[in-house]
């Protein structure tokens, strides 16, 4: 096999087209509909039967905000990956700026209303006023409780 090529891969460059809205992107696992290629499709798939990542987020404002933070964080990661190879794409840069502002505002609001999710948002939980160390003020999101 030393004189034979096993394969030559061709991957077409990704183009900026329409993007999913944030809840759809989070659900599909990609911001880009063109990259949404399911490995398998089930017959009679019903969205109502899908498990929810944040059960109760419709009625619990804390869970709803955690879901929004997860969605904007996911979108920021998707855009960062896209911009690694398309650094001059102004639409993607504008969307990244918007998403990062949303994420910063949501993290600050969450820290103010509940507890800090990141070490950087600890200053938003009133520690200067209360003279406290509020990093461990609430449960971690993976512990299954919100507030």
């Amino acid at each position: 096999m030393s004189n034979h090529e096993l394969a030559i891969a061709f991957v077409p460059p990704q183009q900026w087209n329409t993007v999913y809205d944030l809840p759809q992107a989070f659900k599909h696992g990609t911001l880009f509909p063109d990259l949404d290629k399911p490995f398998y499709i089930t017959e009679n798939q019903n969205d109502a039967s899908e498990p929810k990542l944040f059960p109760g987020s419709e009625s619990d404002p804390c869970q709803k905000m955690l879901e929004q933070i997860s969605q904007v964080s996911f979108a920021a990661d998707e855009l960062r990956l896209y911009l690694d190879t398309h650094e001059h794409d102004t639409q993607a840069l504008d969307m990244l700026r918007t998403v990062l502002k949303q994420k910063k505002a949501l993290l600050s609001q969450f820290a103010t209303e509940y507890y800090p999710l990141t070490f950087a948002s600890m200053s938003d939980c009133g520690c200067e006023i209360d003279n406290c160390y509020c990093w461990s003020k609430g449960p971690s999101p993976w512990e299954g409780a919100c507030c």
Side-chain angles (χ1 to χ4, degrees):
M1 276 218 249
S2 61
N3 293 331
H4 301 305
E5 294 181 29
L6 294 177
I8 297 175
F10 173 74
V11 178
Q14 182 182 355
Q15 300 297 315
W16 182 267
N17 290 316
T18 59
V19 295
Y20 284 131
D21 62 28
L22 298 187
Q24 275 187 309
F26 194 67
K27 177 183 171 191
H28 289 271
T30 181
L31 189 59
F32 306 100
D34 293 344
L35 299 181
D36 191 4
K37 308 290 186 205
F39 290 106
Y40 62 89
I41 298 174
T42 59
E43 291 183 35
N44 301 323
Q45 188 173 13
N46 183 353
D47 285 349
S49 66
E50 292 182 19
K52 295 208 175 261
L53 183 60
F54 295 99
S57 62
E58 301 84 18
S59 59
D60 182 358
C62 180
Q63 291 287 355
K64 186 171 181 64
M65 197 177 303
L66 278 176
E67 186 172 7
Q68 292 171 335
I69 291 167
S70 295
Q71 291 170 359
V72 296
S73 298
F74 176 78
D77 288 340
E78 281 280 279
L79 290 164
R80 179 187 51 82
L81 291 170
Y82 175 82
L83 286 163
D84 282 348
T85 56
H86 300 78
E87 64 270 7
H88 301 294
D89 190 322
T90 55
Q91 285 180 294
L93 287 166
D94 288 343
M95 187 174 183
L96 179 65
R97 282 186 205 99
T98 300
V99 165
L100 290 175
K101 284 179 189 175
Q102 289 174 338
K103 181 178 177 177
K104 184 176 181 180
L106 283 167
L107 286 171
S108 177
Q109 181 183 356
F110 194 90
T112 301
E113 293 181 20
Y114 305 108
Y115 52 89
L117 287 174
T118 66
F119 195 69
S121 64
M122 191 173 81
S123 63
D124 298 321
C125 72
C127 288
E128 294 85 15
I129 298 166
D130 298 339
N131 194 24
C132 68
Y133 183 73
C134 62
W135 179 238
S136 59
K137 186 175 175 183
S140 298
W142 57 85
E143 292 177 323
C146 187
C147 305

